[in-house]
Amino acid sequence: MDAKVTDHAVPRQGVTVVIPVHNRAEMIRRTVADILRQTRLPEALVLVDNASTDNTAQTLHDLAAECRAAGLPATVLTEPVPGACAARNRGLQEVDTEWVMFFDSDDFMAPGHVAAAMDEAAAHPGADIIGWDVYYTRSGQTSVHRYAARNLQYHSLMNGAMATQRYMVRTAVARAAGGWDNNVKIWNDIEFGARLLRQTSAVVYRRGTPMVTVNVHPQSITGANYSSRAEAFGASLQAMARTLGPRRRPWILLKAMILAGELNREGSELGARYRREILGTAGSAYIRALLRFAYSYRRRGLRGIARILRPLMPR
């Protein structure tokens, strides 16, 4: 990890929203507008310009001025090291509130989102993480992605239950987990989520209508396909394996096999190669059988295999 954090001995109550921004001068306007429409404003907003080469920096300063005029303290920071992780860590350094909510520059939040998160935190004073369901929009289609009330570590790995926009965390817990690892270029929210969940089990699921919309588009960090960034996905899986340890190795193999199925479905020869390599290290015949089924299922474009296999996977 490369997080450098500042020690704030007595954090203020409330939540700070941290948003990294790279070359999204127009997209960030909508996201900041959503924050200003909140029925309860956050205590602070931190915008981090992450090595932008367009007019994003000036846009952020203009938006911060609008926020301050509306009563929302807003700070603009600069992080020259490329990568959302580095930018989030830079933002985390400045947070002096009890809670931090990381958000992305191309996603949206309904007006009651901050209030609902803080109400849940007030109702559960022992909680360290407040999580919620989100809407996902992709190619004009919208679906609900559920948070996981149980087996959260598994569902975070397989289904992104700890994706950036799906929770609020105590600032002290985020720092104790080590911050974001900028060496993990993709699925870094899953890797960070795994470390958060090793740090604490005090997680509360806020039920109800989703108030966040994750906007998936070709310029999203994960990209439009798997084949173009297969090596980065593989490196991320290795980082997650180190975080979760040998006991959870079958989970990592399942995640890798789902990736192999995706690659095969996209027509990449890497899919079949990864399948052979994964099966060659799987160990028991039982695990190999589950992995073969997962590969066959996913290469046909079917979804939900991780949930189907959850009762059969080692805990």
Side-chain angles (χ1 to χ4, degrees):
M1 271 65 69
D2 54 5
K4 298 177 182 177
V5 296
T6 302
D7 182 22
H8 299 281
V10 182
R12 294 187 295 141
Q13 293 185 341
V15 61
T16 296
V17 178
V18 174
I19 306 178
V21 190
H22 173 71
N23 287 351
R24 285 180 174 168
E26 295 307 315
M27 285 185 180
I28 188 60
R29 293 180 184 277
R30 161 68 193 269
T31 303
V32 172
D34 280 358
I35 294 172
L36 285 175
R37 281 194 288 265
Q38 293 298 301
T39 57
R40 171 178 173 170
L41 291 175
E43 273 55 49
L45 172 65
V46 176
L47 301 167
V48 186
D49 177 34
N50 185 210
S52 295
T53 57
D54 61 0
N55 63 333
T56 289
Q58 184 57 55
T59 298
L60 294 183
H61 283 286
D62 293 344
L63 291 171
E66 292 178 20
C67 290
R68 291 191 290 268
L72 170 59
T75 302
V76 178
L77 304 173
T78 299
E79 175 50 63
V81 177
C85 292
R88 291 175 187 132
N89 284 335
R90 180 66 186 93
L92 182 59
Q93 291 180 44
E94 303 300 314
V95 176
D96 66 354
T97 51
E98 184 178 12
W99 295 89
V100 60
M101 183 188 297
F102 296 102
F103 209 71
D104 284 351
S105 57
D106 53 354
D107 297 326
F108 315 129
M109 61 171 71
H113 177 56
V114 171
M118 293 309 300
D119 287 347
E120 201 72 37
H124 299 87
D128 287 331
I129 297 172
I130 308 294
W132 47 74
D133 302 338
V134 296
Y135 290 121
Y136 264 65
T137 63
R138 185 195 301 264
S139 303
Q141 301 295 316
T142 299
S143 59
V144 176
H145 284 216
R146 302 290 183 191
Y147 199 69
R150 294 181 298 174
N151 301 318
L152 183 53
Q153 187 72 274
Y154 178 85
H155 289 298
S156 177
L157 173 64
M158 299 299 175
N159 305 306
M162 291 291 288
T164 314
Q165 316 87 337
R166 303 186 67 175
Y167 66 93
M168 176 177 75
V169 60
R170 287 191 188 273
T171 306
V173 173
R175 289 180 173 139
W180 299 75
D181 188 345
N182 202 44
N183 294 315
V184 180
K185 302 303 182 184
I186 209 161
W187 284 343
N188 45 63
D189 48 358
I190 297 178
E191 193 276 335
F192 181 50
R195 284 186 282 114
L196 286 178
L197 295 175
R198 289 190 63 180
Q199 194 69 33
T200 181
S201 60
V203 181
V204 170
Y205 171 30
R206 186 194 72 77
R207 301 177 186 274
T209 302
M211 293 190 177
V212 169
T213 298
V214 178
N215 180 28
V216 182
H217 53 89
Q219 287 74 47
S220 295
I221 292 175
T222 51
N225 60 57
Y226 292 87
S227 304
S228 62
R229 305 190 70 180
E231 184 175 338
F233 281 113
S236 297
L237 283 171
Q238 292 178 10
M240 286 181 242
R242 291 191 294 270
T243 296
L244 293 176
R247 179 185 169 197
R248 301 288 169 72
R249 187 166 175 274
W251 296 7
I252 297 293
L253 294 176
L254 176 57
K255 183 75 171 179
M257 192 61 94
I258 293 171
L259 172 62
E262 289 281 5
L263 291 169
N264 182 276
R265 193 170 66 87
E266 291 176 2
S268 171
E269 63 182 15
L270 289 174
R273 192 186 91 190
Y274 283 6
R275 177 183 182 275
R276 290 192 300 271
E277 292 175 355
I278 294 164
L279 291 175
T281 62
S284 74
Y286 174 74
I287 295 297
R288 288 199 301 273
L290 295 181
L291 295 177
R292 287 192 184 97
F293 177 65
Y295 179 83
S296 175
Y297 191 91
R298 193 67 198 100
R299 70 191 291 264
R300 288 181 287 164
L302 301 174
R303 295 190 175 275
I305 186 58
R307 293 184 183 276
I308 293 170
L309 294 183
R310 178 65 189 100
L312 303 177
M313 292 295 292
R315 293 181 180 275

